[in-house]
């Protein structure tokens, strides 16, 4: 029988009430200490009917911060603030993972302790601008990490995983996507190292493999997911052969027995794609979450054609706290307010209405 978006699904060690995943979306509404705010608790609790929520990307160290007002996961107070949020989601019957992030070169000295340079695999300045507390500023040329420093990045992810467990999450997603530090090591457009972490695909995969090893000492592999973006050009990313390279990466990480592989299919900047995602999925032995521009019709077809096990939705969940009900009952959706995506208050965050029949 063909899979259906609204049926239950066993994911690792947990049961999901449906196959709809709320994608991680940065909203910049934490406090100045990187702690969860009450309106964030409300926002996620409102959307707890999703089969799985993947919380917005959360830096695992002060060095890993790349944006203002993001919730972090490298201190005890931050973990304690997240616990209020996970408790609220669980009280509604929801399931929630946290996305562990290090921004690498996608930061700015004004965001770093002592005005230090952001770190990266190689000293390659990305084009574009950083979002800072002083407004938009040009990216700078990052400092290439010394080989001896890379173990510190791995340790930061492990500590984030430890704190995520204290915070009451159901699992963690390692953020290997969208031009942040793991992705910077994976793709040859940003990694021009000549040590054990650069050059061939085996070396470029080494950081991710070490991070997964470390995180899986804290959480069972069946509670650890991974996000990848093979051809996304966001944050000035490129790779000479994403099909071949990511088939190798995915085949190798499949041996970890992870909870899932979460893939953004295509380039969200150019709205194009040249990668065969079916071939990538075939290299991974576990559940596959498809992401990028899915609506109800496209999601159901992907499941029925066995191209994915779960579907992640971004903007539809942002604007519709009751998206599961709206899709299931084929109800109209709220209009998305793009002006309120990042930063601000409750407007465009927790005030999107639930559907009420008297509105029709």
């Amino acid at each position: 029988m063909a899979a259906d978006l609204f049926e239950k699904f066993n994911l690792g060690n947990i049961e999901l009430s449906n196959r709809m995943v709320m994608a991680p979306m940065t909203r910049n509404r934490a406090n100045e200490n990187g702690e969860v705010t009450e309106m964030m608790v409300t926002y996620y609790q409102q959307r707890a009917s999703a089969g799985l929520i993947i919380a917005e990307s959360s830096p695992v160290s002060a060095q890993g911060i790349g944006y203002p007002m993001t919730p972090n996961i490298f201190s005890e107070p931050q973990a304690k603030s997240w616990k209020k949020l996970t408790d609220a989601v669980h009280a509604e019957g929801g399931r929630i993972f946290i996305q562990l992030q290090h921004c690498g070169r996608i930061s700015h000295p004004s965001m770093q302790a002592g005005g230090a340079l952001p770190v990266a695999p190689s000293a390659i300045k990305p084009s574009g601008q950083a979002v800072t507390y002083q407004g938009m500023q040009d990216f700078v040329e990052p400092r290439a990490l010394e080989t001896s420093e890379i173990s510190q990045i791995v340790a930061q992810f492990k500590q984030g995983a430890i704190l995520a467990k204290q915070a009451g999450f159901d699992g963690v997603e390692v953020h290997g996507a969208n031009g942040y530090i793991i992705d910077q090591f994976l793709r040859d457009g940003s990694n021009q190292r000549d040590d054990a972490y650069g050059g061939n695909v085996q070396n470029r995969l080494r950081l991710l493999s070490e991070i997964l090893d470390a995180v899986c000492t804290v959480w069972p592999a069946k509670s650890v997911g991974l996000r990848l973006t093979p051809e996304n050009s966001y944050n000035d990313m490129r790779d000479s052969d994403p099909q071949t390279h990511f088939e190798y990466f995915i085949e190798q990480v499949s041996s970890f027995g992870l909870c899932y592989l979460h893939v953004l299919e295509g380039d969200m900047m150019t709205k194009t794609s040249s990668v065969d995602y079916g071939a990538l999925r075939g290299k991974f032995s576990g559940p596959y979450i498809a992401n990028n521009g899915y609506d109800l019709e496209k999601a159901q077809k992907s499941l029925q054609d066995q191209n994915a096990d779960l579907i992640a939705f971004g903007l539809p969940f942002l604007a519709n706290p009751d998206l599961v009900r709206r899709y299931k009952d084929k109800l109209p959706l709220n209009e998305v307010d793009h002006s309120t995506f990042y930063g601000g208050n409750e407007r465009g965050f927790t005030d999107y209405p639930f559907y009420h029949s008297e509105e029709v």
Side-chain angles (χ1 to χ4, degrees), residues 178 231-234 264-272 292:
N178 288 348
E231 60 181 330
N232 198 11
S233 61
Y234 181 66
L264 188 142
E265 300 175 335
D267 186 342
M268 68 182 187
M269 305 302 290
T270 65
K271 310 301 182 185
T272 61
N292 199 14

Side-chain angles (χ1 to χ4, degrees), residues 14-252:
I14 60 176
E15 183 182 74
L16 308 183
S17 60
N18 55 70
R19 294 176 183 247
M20 293 177 62
V21 177
M22 177 175 160
M25 293 176 284
T26 296
R27 305 303 307 275
N28 304 95
R29 283 169 167 87
N31 68 20
E32 63 277 4
N33 297 316
E35 296 165 359
V36 168
T37 55
E38 287 301 321
M39 62 177 165
M40 288 177 62
V41 174
T42 300
Y43 170 76
Y44 283 100
Q45 186 175 31
Q46 287 175 337
R47 289 153 179 81
S49 59
L52 175 67
I53 293 173
I54 306 173
E56 59 206 273
S57 54
S58 304
V60 294
S61 69
Q63 180 193 65
I65 296 173
Y67 302 94
M69 313 302 281
T70 53
N72 305 320
I73 189 70
F74 57 83
S75 75
E76 296 284 346
Q78 290 162 2
K80 186 175 181 180
S81 72
W82 275 114
K83 185 66 165 58
K84 293 184 294 183
L85 191 155
T86 60
D87 284 348
V89 170
H90 290 149
E92 298 295 327
R95 297 292 194 173
I96 184 167
F97 279 35
I98 188 171
Q99 190 183 59
L100 305 177
Q101 178 197 42
H102 187 303
C103 287
R105 71 180 189 175
I106 304 303
S107 186
H108 188 270
S110 65
M111 305 290 291
Q112 298 289 313
L117 290 174
V119 297
S122 302
I124 300 173
K125 176 185 175 181
S127 65
Q129 292 188 310
V131 184
T132 77
Y133 284 100
Q134 293 76 42
M136 302 299 293
Q137 300 191 57
D138 289 345
F139 285 122
V140 301
E141 181 180 293
R143 178 178 67 82
L145 286 159
E146 298 291 338
T147 306
S148 60
E149 294 180 284
I150 293 178
S151 62
Q152 298 171 21
I153 305 296
V154 176
Q156 291 168 12
F157 274 88
K158 181 176 181 178
Q159 179 63 14
I162 291 170
L163 290 172
K165 184 166 279 192
Q166 294 178 18
F169 285 96
D170 296 295
V172 298
E173 178 177 281
V174 173
H175 197 348
N178 288 348
Y180 301 118
I181 201 160
I182 294 173
D183 199 25
Q184 291 162 27
F185 272 84
L186 290 175
R187 295 207 247 180
D188 57 17
S190 49
N191 185 346
Q192 297 180 7
R193 301 177 72 89
D194 58 7
D195 64 357
Y197 292 87
N200 60 39
V201 286
Q202 293 87 354
N203 287 349
R204 297 204 311 275
L205 179 63
R206 195 177 307 276
L207 174 64
L208 174 55
S209 293
E210 291 180 354
I211 287 171
L212 291 175
D213 273 330
V215 170
C216 289
T217 66
V218 179
W219 291 85
K222 289 299 182 184
S223 297
V224 178
L226 171 65
R227 192 181 197 201
L228 296 175
T229 48
E231 60 181 330
N232 198 11
S233 61
Y234 181 66
N235 282 326
D236 196 26
M237 293 299 291
R238 61 187 60 86
D239 190 87
S240 64
D241 189 354
Q243 184 76 52
T244 301
H245 295 163
F246 278 82
E247 282 189 24
Y248 173 81
F249 297 147
I250 291 170
E251 186 172 34
Q252 296 304 304

